[in-house]
């Protein structure tokens, strides 16, 4: 790579590294170590033991402490620790997941839902003297957390909670760490005191003794072999009248007095429930970030391979053609690279927002709610991108891509479940759309299905542009004039953003109308169920617009002119390709003529052709060093 190209790549990487650039740079050096990479030849038992050893190495780096408040109560560095642990996805996703369970989910529950009386657990779990798990999901209730069946009934005579699994479907399932290593679980259960249920709360429940045997009343079992992540010991837990001290209730938002009196500063049960779950948003942010990191690894491997692999002779020269010189191959990989750039900028913005909220720099409740919505939407986008991109990379590398020594099949297997955990993607998209429809009144979060339908019927306005800053961004872009090298109207950022916003706005408004019309004929559930496809489409459109805004903002911060110009072309490709994926909708709803749709297709071809000579520069900019790819086919 020539000096100028190297400089551009470095500028792009610096931009994508984001606010915690120094953390990423340090991680690249530390993780350039064979001990952190998985070994596909290991059986399940050996893989689990290896990951636990790797975690002890990670614990020695001093990264983890930043995710927790200091003993004096001052905030840590949550943005830094999320960024640092995300880098583990470049090495072994089993290590990333296991670390996330221990320090993110289990540790995050104690940190964010507990109080000073639980500080001792933090001091034990950081250095791995206490291994834990996060027991939320049940066999019969995955995404429906509010209706979990596990109970924690308070006994004032002994000042203990009795944790119990009343039915087979109440079994805690798929729990990382539960099969083998965890000695304590953060258990989500219905709190019952004085014969009355107060909703779902979190409790610390010991499940194993020091020798690894189940404690009385606890039955753990192993989920066994999975589609991927062999180093993560997923298991199941059943409770049979397990008694724990009253103090094991994580009581930041609610408490039970020795006599059984329940108290909470948040009087509304629904708001209390969502506040509790909202504090755990870091896990969802981390899942999306790790999925996107896995996609960057796969694209770095596939594009580098496409630059060296030759196939079929050019009839004019007789020489075999480099794979990436084929238009079809460019179209397969370069738009996915563009989306990786878009999502990297969006993730940087999301982590920055999370850091402000979790360090107390931004205490506005509306900001917390917006963070949850953005985290849900971006997790959907990133995990779906990983699924698509890694599969495309595997196919683009042919038979070599199917060999475990080249990592692509391992990345595919390990990221597949990311679309499910920390929130099923369909459910999360629905959550995003629901927030769109209820954006104008804080109290609608507490409405039941009927109340939501009634409210949605009033939302027949320019929803998107009134509820967000997109109108201002469009105007700002218009004031600056066209920003790309093309003269076509569609190349202007304001026009591109307008098209994304128009689609989101139209879908949101028409979904509201559809709910209203159906509600007149049937009940609230039927009305919602009838419009669910429409609601999900609105949520997807919102996510795409949100990512584009983050991309535009990210480009503006690139100081090097040549790098910024290249990023502008990458953004154009992301826009044209996304519109091309949805061109039937744009034509059907008359937001785009057939001729303009053809221009979009031509635009994608022109852009991949323009970016082809810069392919390796773009891959370098993604920030996965070649030495960390560990793909044998790259030599």
């Amino acid at each position: 790579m020539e000096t100028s190209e190297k400089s551009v790549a470095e500028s792009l990487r610096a931009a994508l590294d984001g606010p915690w650039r120094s953390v990423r740079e340090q991680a690249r050096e530390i993780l350039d170590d064979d001990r952190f990479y998985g070994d596909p030849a290991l059986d399940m038992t050996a893989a689990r033991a290896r990951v636990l050893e790797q975690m002890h190495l990670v614990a020695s780096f001093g990264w983890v402490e930043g995710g927790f408040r200091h003993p004096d109560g001052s905030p840590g560095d949550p943005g830094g620790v999320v960024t640092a642990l995300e880098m583990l996805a470049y090495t072994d996703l089993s290590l990333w997941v296991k670390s996330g369970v221990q320090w993110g989910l289990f540790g995050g529950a104690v940190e964010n839902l507990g109080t000073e009386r639980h500080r001792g657990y933090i001091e034990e779990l950081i250095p791995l003297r206490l291994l834990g798990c996060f027991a939320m999901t049940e066999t019969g209730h995955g995404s429906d957390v509010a209706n979990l069946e596990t109970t924690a009934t308070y006994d004032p005579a002994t000042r203990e909670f009795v944790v119990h699994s009343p039915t087979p479907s109440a079994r805690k399932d798929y729990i990382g760490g539960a099969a083998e290593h965890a000695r304590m679980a953060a258990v989500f259960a219905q709190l019952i005191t004085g014969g009355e249920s107060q909703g779902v709360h979190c409790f610390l429940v010991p499940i194993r003794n020091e020798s690894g045997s189940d404690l009385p009343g606890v039955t753990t079992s192993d989920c066994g072999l999975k589609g991927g992540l062999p180093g993560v010991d997923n298991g199941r837990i059943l409770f049979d009248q397990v008694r724990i001290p009253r103090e094991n209730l994580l009581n930041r938002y609610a408490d039970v007095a020795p006599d059984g009196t329940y108290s909470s500063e948040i009087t509304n049960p629904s708001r209390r429930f969502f506040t509790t779950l909202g504090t755990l948003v870091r896990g969802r942010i981390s899942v999306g970030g790790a999925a996107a990191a896995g996609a960057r690894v796969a694209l770095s491997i596939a594009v580098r391979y496409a630059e060296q692999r030759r196939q079929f002779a050019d009839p004019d020269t007789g020489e075999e053609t480099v794979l990436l010189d084929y238009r079809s191959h460019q179209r397969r990989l370069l738009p996915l690279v563009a989306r990786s750039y878009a999502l990297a900028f969006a993730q940087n913005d999301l982590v920055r927002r999370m850091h402000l909220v979790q360090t107390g720099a931004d205490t506005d409740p509306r900001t917390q709610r917006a963070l949850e919505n953005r985290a849900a939407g971006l997790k959907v986008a990133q995990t779906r991108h990983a699924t698509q991109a890694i599969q495309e990379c595997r196919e683009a590398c042919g038979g070599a891509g199917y060999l475990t020594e080249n990592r692509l099949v391992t990345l595919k297997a390990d990221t597949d479940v990311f679309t499910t955990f920390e929130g099923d993607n369909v459910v999360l998209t629905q959550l995003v759309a629901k927030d769109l429809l209820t954006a104008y009144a804080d109290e609608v979060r507490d409405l039941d299905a009927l109340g939501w339908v009634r409210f949605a019927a009033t939302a027949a306005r320019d929803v998107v542009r009134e509820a967000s800053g997109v109108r201002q961004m469009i105007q700002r872009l218009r004031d600056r004039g066209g920003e790309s090298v093309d003269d076509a109207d569609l190349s202007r950022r304001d026009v591109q953003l307008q098209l994304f916003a128009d689609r989101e706005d139209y879908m949101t408004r028409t979904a509201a109308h559809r709910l209203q019309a159906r509600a007149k004929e049937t009940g609230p559930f039927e009305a919602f169920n009838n419009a669910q496809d429409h609601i999900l489409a609105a949520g997807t459109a919102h996510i795409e617009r949100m990512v584009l805004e983050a991309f535009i903002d990210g480009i503006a911060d690139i100081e090097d002119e040549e790098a910024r110009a290249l990023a502008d072309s990458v953004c154009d490709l992301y826009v044209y390709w996304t519109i091309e994926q949805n061109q039937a909708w744009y034509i059907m709803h008359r937001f785009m003529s057939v001729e303009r749709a053809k221009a979009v297709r031509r635009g994608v071809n022109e852009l991949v052709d323009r970016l082809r000579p810069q392919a390796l520069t773009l891959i370098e900019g993604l920030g996965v060093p070649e030495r960390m790819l560990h793909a044998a086919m790259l030599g």
Side-chain angles (χ1 to χ4, degrees):
M1 184 175 291
E2 296 182 1
T3 303
S4 62
E5 292 175 336
K6 185 176 181 180
S7 175
V8 169
E10 289 173 351
S11 294
L12 291 174
R13 187 178 68 232
L16 263 64
D17 277 354
W20 286 272
R21 178 186 177 188
S22 62
V23 171
R24 292 189 186 277
E25 290 178 337
Q26 180 194 43
R28 290 187 184 101
E29 295 300 322
I30 292 175
L31 297 175
D32 185 18
D33 184 330
D34 287 343
R35 292 178 296 175
F36 290 106
Y37 291 80
D39 182 354
L42 295 179
D43 63 23
M44 185 173 68
T45 301
R48 290 174 176 180
R50 179 185 175 93
V51 167
L52 190 56
E53 291 175 4
Q54 291 172 328
M55 285 181 66
H56 282 280
L57 287 174
V58 173
S60 71
F61 297 158
W63 292 349
V64 177
E65 288 84 346
F68 301 89
R69 285 185 293 275
H70 300 295
D72 64 4
S74 59
D77 181 16
V81 74
V82 166
T83 301
L85 293 180
E86 178 193 304
M87 298 295 286
L88 297 176
Y90 289 169
T91 60
D92 184 354
L93 280 161
S94 284
L95 172 59
W96 178 85
V97 171
K98 184 83 166 174
S99 298
V101 168
Q102 171 70 15
W103 293 306
L105 295 178
F106 176 64
V110 180
E111 166 82 352
N112 294 304
L113 300 179
T115 55
E116 188 57 33
R117 76 186 188 196
H118 304 107
R119 180 72 201 179
Y121 294 109
I122 298 291
E123 295 170 356
E124 293 293 302
L125 68 87
I126 289 176
L128 301 179
R129 288 193 295 267
L130 172 64
L131 291 171
C133 62
F134 186 79
M136 177 183 281
T137 300
E138 295 178 357
T139 304
H141 294 82
S143 299
D144 188 9
V145 178
N147 289 307
L148 296 177
E149 292 182 79
T150 302
T151 58
T153 306
Y154 186 66
D155 180 358
T158 60
R159 298 186 179 182
E160 294 174 316
F161 284 99
V162 182
V163 180
H164 186 60
S165 307
T167 67
S169 61
R171 179 184 64 184
K172 297 297 181 180
D173 216 340
Y174 323 119
I175 311 301
E180 189 173 342
H181 294 146
R183 288 195 290 111
M184 179 172 283
V187 177
F188 286 77
Q190 303 286 348
L191 189 159
I192 300 171
T193 183
E196 183 178 355
S197 176
Q198 299 292 344
V200 172
H201 293 65
C202 189
F203 304 81
L204 295 180
V205 184
I207 59 173
R208 284 192 181 88
N209 60 23
E210 293 289 344
S211 65
S213 299
D214 290 349
L215 291 172
V218 177
T219 302
T220 65
S221 56
D222 200 318
C223 289
L225 290 170
K226 309 184 296 295
L229 302 171
V232 183
D233 53 321
N234 293 87
R236 305 177 174 108
I237 314 173
L238 277 166
F239 303 101
D240 183 8
Q241 309 293 336
V242 176
R243 289 181 171 270
I244 59 172
R246 180 182 68 90
E247 291 78 13
N248 283 29
L249 166 66
L250 296 178
N251 62 327
R252 173 157 298 191
Y253 297 108
D255 207 350
V256 173
D259 67 357
T261 302
Y262 179 85
S263 62
S264 174
E265 293 182 0
I266 306 173
T267 56
N268 184 295
S270 179
R271 195 173 298 278
R272 184 167 60 243
F273 171 73
F274 282 106
T275 299
T276 298
L277 295 190
T279 62
L280 304 173
V281 70
R282 191 187 303 182
R284 191 167 286 165
I285 292 171
S286 298
V287 167
R296 291 195 293 271
V297 173
L299 286 164
S300 297
I301 292 170
V303 171
R304 288 184 183 279
Y305 182 71
E307 282 278 21
Q308 66 184 45
R309 177 79 160 92
R310 294 177 178 272
Q311 188 86 297
F312 301 111
D314 182 329
D316 296 327
T317 66
E319 294 184 1
E320 286 190 306
T321 304
V322 173
L323 284 183
L324 203 55
D325 285 341
Y326 288 107
R327 171 64 54 75
S328 61
H329 216 78
Q330 295 164 9
R331 265 186 162 268
R332 294 179 80 171
L333 296 179
L334 294 183
L336 295 169
V337 171
R339 189 158 65 186
S340 280
Y341 270 78
L343 292 171
F345 283 120
Q347 177 72 1
N348 287 341
D349 176 64
L350 180 64
V351 173
R352 179 187 60 80
R353 291 169 185 261
M354 178 210 74
H355 184 81
L356 292 174
V357 169
Q358 297 201 340
T359 58
D362 190 337
T363 58
D364 188 337
R366 292 172 298 181
T367 304
Q368 171 71 42
R369 177 173 164 184
L371 176 67
E372 295 166 28
N373 177 282
R374 188 172 290 262
L378 197 52
K379 185 265 181 182
V380 171
Q382 290 169 312
T383 55
R384 284 181 174 164
H385 170 62
T387 298
Q388 179 184 5
I390 296 171
Q391 175 63 23
E392 197 66 61
C393 289
R394 207 293 302 155
E395 293 183 28
C397 291
Y402 200 58
L403 300 180
T404 55
E405 67 179 12
N406 293 319
R407 292 191 68 190
L408 294 174
V409 285
T410 302
L411 285 166
K412 177 176 169 55
D414 288 348
T415 59
D416 189 43
V417 74
F418 281 39
T419 60
T420 299
F421 65 41
E422 282 299 312
D424 174 84
N425 277 2
V426 172
V427 176
L428 291 184
T429 304
Q430 186 173 290
L431 173 66
V432 169
K434 178 179 177 180
D435 275 359
L436 275 180
L437 289 168
T438 58
Y440 304 110
D442 290 338
E443 68 271 12
V444 294
R445 181 180 284 273
D446 304 322
L447 294 178
D448 57 15
L450 178 58
W452 182 25
V453 169
R454 286 173 176 167
F455 176 80
T458 69
R461 299 182 273 165
D462 191 0
V463 175
V464 175
R465 276 166 285 252
E466 289 189 21
S468 71
V470 67
R471 182 191 294 278
Q472 290 84 351
M473 176 174 272
I474 290 172
Q475 188 57 53
R476 187 176 78 244
L477 292 170
R478 285 177 177 165
D479 291 342
R480 283 175 13 204
E483 292 189 21
S484 71
V485 296
D486 298 321
D487 294 326
D489 191 45
L490 196 57
S491 71
R492 287 170 43 196
R493 287 280 178 264
D494 60 301
V495 175
Q496 295 171 355
L497 189 56
Q498 183 90 43
L499 279 169
F500 278 52
D502 280 343
R503 181 164 170 259
E504 177 187 359
D505 180 66
Y506 184 90
M507 284 190 169
T508 303
R509 288 189 290 107
T510 51
H513 293 160
R514 187 169 165 185
L515 283 168
Q516 179 187 32
R518 190 69 174 180
K520 292 177 180 177
E521 305 168 2
T522 186
F525 173 79
E526 288 81 1
F528 171 77
N529 202 38
N530 173 263
Q532 194 170 25
D533 59 328
H534 199 147
I535 290 165
L536 290 170
T540 300
H542 169 77
I543 294 166
E544 289 173 351
R545 191 267 299 169
M546 177 181 70
V547 171
L548 176 57
E549 284 190 10
F551 200 166
I552 293 170
D553 282 338
I555 291 173
D557 292 333
I558 300 176
E559 295 182 2
D560 182 87
E561 290 186 12
E562 191 176 351
R564 188 168 60 250
L566 181 56
D568 262 323
S569 292
V570 175
C571 186
D572 281 336
L573 178 56
Y574 168 71
V575 170
Y576 275 66
W577 185 64
T578 302
I579 293 173
E580 184 182 50
Q581 308 304 301
N582 298 289
Q583 65 183 8
W585 183 91
Y586 280 106
I587 294 172
M588 184 168 61
H589 292 87
R590 301 181 181 179
F591 282 92
M592 183 177 290
S593 67
V594 173
E595 288 306 312
R596 173 166 275 193
K598 292 178 180 177
V600 168
R601 187 185 67 241
R602 291 194 299 270
V604 173
N605 289 338
E606 291 167 3
L607 285 162
V608 296
D609 186 60
R610 183 192 309 171
L611 291 170
R612 162 65 186 97
Q614 306 294 329
L616 281 181
T617 301
L618 294 176
I619 290 303
E620 290 282 350
L622 284 180
V624 188
E626 188 171 8
R627 65 182 185 274
M628 293 185 71
L629 296 179
H630 283 236
M633 65 184 175
L634 298 180

